[in-house]
Amino acid sequence: MDGFAFGVVLAVLASLIIATNILVAVALFRLIQKNGCTGLYFVFNLAVADFLVGITITGLVTDELSTHSHPPPKMFCILRMAFIISPSAASILTMIMVTFDRYLAIKQPFQYFRIMSSLVVGACIVGLWLAACFIGFLPVIVQGFQQTYEGKCTFFGVFRPTYMLTIFCIGFFPALFIFIYLYCDILKIASLHVQHIREVAQVGLSGNSPLPHNTSDMKAVRTVAILIGCFVLSWSPFFIASIVKTVCQKCLPYDVIERYLWLLGLCNSLLNPLIYAYWQKEVRLQIYQLCLCVKRKVFPLFHMESGPQVPSRGPAPIRAISHPQFQE
């Protein structure tokens, strides 16, 4: 893949990441206004982090598509890469918080709202962004992570492979371990809930069983599982190849890691909003209502601009769709 083709692919991917995350962020913001659920703030922060990933990679798009031959200065390139890594790290850390939030809601349902107050959620979000910025700007602080600059603004063009190994040790591997541990515990708790429902149903008290609550818990478990699976499939090849590159400099070419495998990792920022838009019925319903509102505002403009129309009795009323009908 040459530079121009890579720039086109990166531009399309950045546009999709920005558009989908804006749509999901608006839907989540409306849900937060209606429900006031503190757990949705983490999902909203995930959409914001992925949106910033799409914004930051647009600078690389301009470099790949431009025809000028003057490379950017070294410090400018280092800062650009730091601004790309920081929201990516924030996205990974936010997924950990989303998983922990669902874990706490299932494990401690009665103490959940007392523990996860607005102050605690805000502190967690501020803390994870500080940690993400520290990971992204670590090469600026530690000069030993900087590579001899040869005029190519890429990860391995300005960063040593040891920096990727450091990110793997302090970021990817702990996140993967936490994901696996929390999800295994969530599965165990969810299986106990299902067993409890069956026991209650056998004694004829199924009407008093917490079936709707546990049904939502199982849906949350499914969404978390899909998030974890997409995260592992997206970022594992990039980090594994970076570790191999650290050990053996000649085993893999830089272009394979920086173009194909890194693009696969960026796809995770596109998959996250698509997962919530498809699997979470509340988010899906909000997106549908947003599209309906846009349709109501846009189509009258088209009718006004199209000139005189055939007389009619007026527009047909839009029938309201209930939540159960939308699910069907």
Side-chain angles (χ1 to χ4, degrees), residues 4 18 32 54 63 65 77 110:
F4 183 80
I18 294 172
I32 292 173
D63 286 349
L65 298 180
C77 183
F110 299 104

Side-chain angles (χ1 to χ4, degrees), residues 9-305:
V9 173
L10 199 61
V12 173
L13 182 60
S15 302
L16 292 175
I17 290 174
I18 294 172
T20 53
N21 281 284
I22 286 178
L23 184 62
V24 173
V26 173
L28 288 169
F29 182 75
R30 294 184 61 178
L31 271 178
I32 292 173
Q33 286 183 323
K34 292 179 180 180
N35 303 333
C37 181
T38 56
L40 291 176
Y41 283 102
F42 292 123
V43 186
F44 177 78
N45 188 73
L46 179 62
V48 172
D50 290 328
F51 165 77
L52 292 178
V53 171
I55 292 294
T56 52
I57 63 178
T58 54
L60 297 178
V61 174
T62 57
D63 286 349
E64 296 291 342
L65 298 180
S66 62
T67 57
H68 64 81
S69 58
H70 300 288
K74 178 180 179 180
M75 184 52 64
F76 179 82
C77 183
I78 291 176
L79 292 176
R80 171 182 287 178
M81 292 302 167
F83 277 109
I84 293 176
I85 295 175
S86 295
S88 299
S91 176
I92 296 174
L93 293 175
T94 305
M95 281 193 289
I96 296 177
M97 294 306 303
V98 170
T99 307
F100 178 76
D101 177 76
R102 291 300 88 203
Y103 169 78
L104 190 62
I106 294 175
K107 189 176 182 63
Q108 301 289 340
F110 299 104
Q111 290 83 16
Y112 169 77
F113 291 101
R114 180 178 59 85
I115 298 174
M116 298 301 293
S117 61
S118 300
L119 183 61
V120 173
V121 172
C124 292
I125 293 176
V126 172
L128 70 87
W129 274 105
L130 291 176
C133 291
F134 173 77
I135 294 174
F137 287 88
L138 189 60
V140 181
I141 303 172
V142 182
Q143 300 291 328
F145 287 141
Q146 297 181 12
Q147 182 75 277
T148 302
Y149 187 57
E150 297 180 354
K152 188 176 182 181
C153 190
T154 58
F155 283 106
F156 293 103
V158 290
F159 298 150
R160 294 183 182 274
T162 53
Y163 173 60
M164 296 301 172
L165 180 61
T166 304
I167 293 181
F168 176 82
C169 295
I170 67 175
F172 179 80
F173 182 74
L176 184 60
F177 177 78
I178 293 173
F179 279 147
I180 295 175
Y181 173 77
L182 292 179
Y183 186 69
C184 290
D185 208 1
I186 287 174
L187 282 180
K188 183 173 66 175
I189 296 171
S191 63
L192 292 176
H193 285 181
V194 173
Q195 183 179 359
H196 174 69
I197 293 174
R198 291 176 179 175
E199 292 176 354
V200 173
Q202 288 178 357
V203 297
L205 299 176
S206 58
N208 298 325
S209 63
L211 182 58
H213 172 73
N214 287 278
T215 302
S216 62
D217 288 346
M218 294 303 297
K219 292 180 179 179
V221 170
R222 179 192 59 188
T223 305
V224 170
I226 298 173
L227 281 175
I228 296 173
C230 292
F231 165 76
V232 174
L233 293 177
S234 299
W235 283 111
S236 292
F238 175 78
F239 283 106
I240 292 174
S242 299
I243 294 174
V244 173
K245 193 67 178 178
T246 305
V247 178
C248 179
Q249 293 287 330
K250 298 181 180 180
C251 293
L252 287 173
Y254 286 115
D255 290 342
V256 174
I257 303 176
E258 293 175 334
R259 293 185 183 271
Y260 299 101
L261 299 184
W262 182 59
L263 280 178
L264 181 62
L266 288 179
C267 290
N268 188 60
S269 296
L270 176 62
L271 292 176
N272 288 337
L274 294 178
I275 290 171
Y276 271 95
Y278 182 79
W279 290 102
Q280 292 295 103
K281 61 181 180 181
E282 296 86 0
V283 179
R284 190 167 68 245
L285 181 60
Q286 287 298 320
I287 292 176
Y288 173 79
Q289 292 177 352
L290 283 173
C291 295
L292 193 61
C293 292
V294 172
K295 180 180 178 181
R296 290 174 178 174
K297 293 181 180 180
V298 171
F299 275 87
L301 296 178
F302 285 129
H303 287 303
M304 292 175 60
E305 295 176 359

